[in-house]
Amino acid sequence: MLFVLAQYWPYALGAALLGVAVGWWAASPAGGRRRGAGARQR
Amino acid sequence: MIQHIGEVLAVIAAAFAVGSIIGWIAYRWIDRTDYAFDQRDLTDRIGRLFGIRTPPPAEEPVATGRPAIAPTPAAARPVRPRPEPAAVEPRPETRAEPALRPEPTRAVTVVPIALPEPAPEPIRLESAAKSEAAEDLRKRVQSSSRAIAWREARDERLRPGEAAALIAGGAVAPVEPEASAAERKGNGKPPPEITAPVPAPPPPGRGDDSPEHDEPWAAATAVWPMDLRQPGPPEARPVGILALPASGAAETRRALPPVATPPLAADDIWSDEDEAEASPAARPAAPPPASEDRPPSLEAAPPERDNLRRIKGIGQGFEKRLNQLGIYRYAQVAAWTAGQQAWISAELGFPGRVERDEWPAQAGRLAKGADARATSHAEVVRDP
């Protein structure tokens, strides 16, 4: 695993940044946190 | 990479997962809005993952302002073929209220819901920060003109009731710092309420449709400081005095603190003449000073005009200004004397620009059909 991380860390970094963006979006109201059944009553 | 594809994908997936969590936490840290958590929403989402339909909650029907129809259970519903839809369209007024006219073939139970009258909410400040702002505003109100305070109250985006109470001299319940800190944590203490005298309702003799009755602040906003410039003798103008409702605010008037408003001098009144003096845009565009150095200008634009922007140093703005001065042709520029060049430079606001860039020489070359830039002075000097 360390060998893989040492060699392919840019991919891991890119995936982490992408994950940050996706997590940010998902936590935002646009990402569906306020959608769903209960959102209509809020 | 092929031999390590499993590990690589695992690392990427792990990094993505960790990044997602970090991003989620980061957003929630920045946007710390306390959204209401809905357990039913979460249950519904989880149930949908497994194909389980979440039963609707057994809660009282939503009050929509009209009587709701509670359908009877399916067992009690009479098994009857659905009748053909009526060919006659119902009238619009009956279509507007479908809940009031159920279909006659269905057994329905109309459950009228008595909607409680919404209780009037007390005027209160929603947060301690807002109450601090209100306290600050109240101090400014007591020390300044009330008309200015009204404008500030508008800018502070206080609700009209709050602003009215503040300007009426009402005291916001004092909030100690530690109390306000505990208030932010939400220990259940109600927010501070304004103990200002609420304007009493108008006497019955006055109609309810008067604007003072519905909005006591409307009369105040009607006399805005900007409206002080009214025709008429100066003594008839309202000067910075808040116009309180003429009736129905006896308590408010009595509770008003004595505000020492100095009488306005004649210079304090902002008049049309002052505005004409203050704003340069209001002043008429002064014609360029008549001087013997002013170059001769054309009265109207000639049918073919030269592209003055080919002269090095003349851009869009200078070309526009020169055209306003009646200069359209290269020959005009080429004929400028030294005094006229100085006059033009001063007129354009850049003294020495014409002489430095040698506009007349460039224009002379352009008038002969040559390129101004190829033989311009600057290029000759830099590249001898």
Side-chain angles (χ1 to χ4, degrees), chain B residues 227-298:
Chain B
D227 295 331
L228 295 181
R229 297 175 295 141
Q230 295 177 356
E235 59 270 14
R237 298 176 183 171
V239 277
I241 298 301
L242 174 68
L244 283 175
S247 67
E251 289 84 352
T252 307
R253 283 168 173 274
R254 261 184 262 117
L256 280 175
V259 177
T261 303
L264 290 179
D267 293 338
D268 295 336
I269 300 178
W270 188 257
S271 63
D272 291 337
E273 295 83 13
D274 296 337
E275 181 155 354
E277 292 175 8
S279 63
R283 271 179 286 169
S291 170
E292 62 272 8
D293 285 336
R294 174 168 182 171
S297 59
L298 300 178

Side-chain angles (χ1 to χ4, degrees), chain A residues 1 3-5 8 11-12 15-16 18-20 22-24 26-29 32-38 41-42, chain B residues 1 4 7-8 10-12 15-16 19-20 22-24 26-28 30-31 35-38 40-41 44-45 59:
Chain A
M1 182 64 84
F3 167 74
V4 169
L5 199 61
Y8 300 108
Y11 294 93
L18 185 63
V20 166
V22 170
W24 182 281
S28 67
R33 198 181 62 202
R34 299 180 69 185
R35 294 180 192 166
Q41 292 156 17
R42 282 198 288 268
Chain B
M1 189 168 184
H4 301 296
E7 288 93 336
V8 168
V11 164
I12 289 176
F16 183 83
S20 302
I22 291 174
W24 184 289
Y27 185 89
R28 292 305 301 267
I30 289 177
D31 181 14
Y35 293 108
F37 174 71
D38 195 349
R40 201 176 118 237
D41 184 19
D44 191 34
R45 283 163 178 263
E59 60 186 13

Side-chain angles (χ1 to χ4, degrees), chain B residues 64 66-69 94-103 108-110:
Chain B
T64 57
R66 66 179 68 162
I69 296 176
T94 57
R95 268 189 297 171
E97 294 285 335
L100 294 178
R101 288 197 59 188
E103 296 181 14
V108 297
T109 307
V110 177

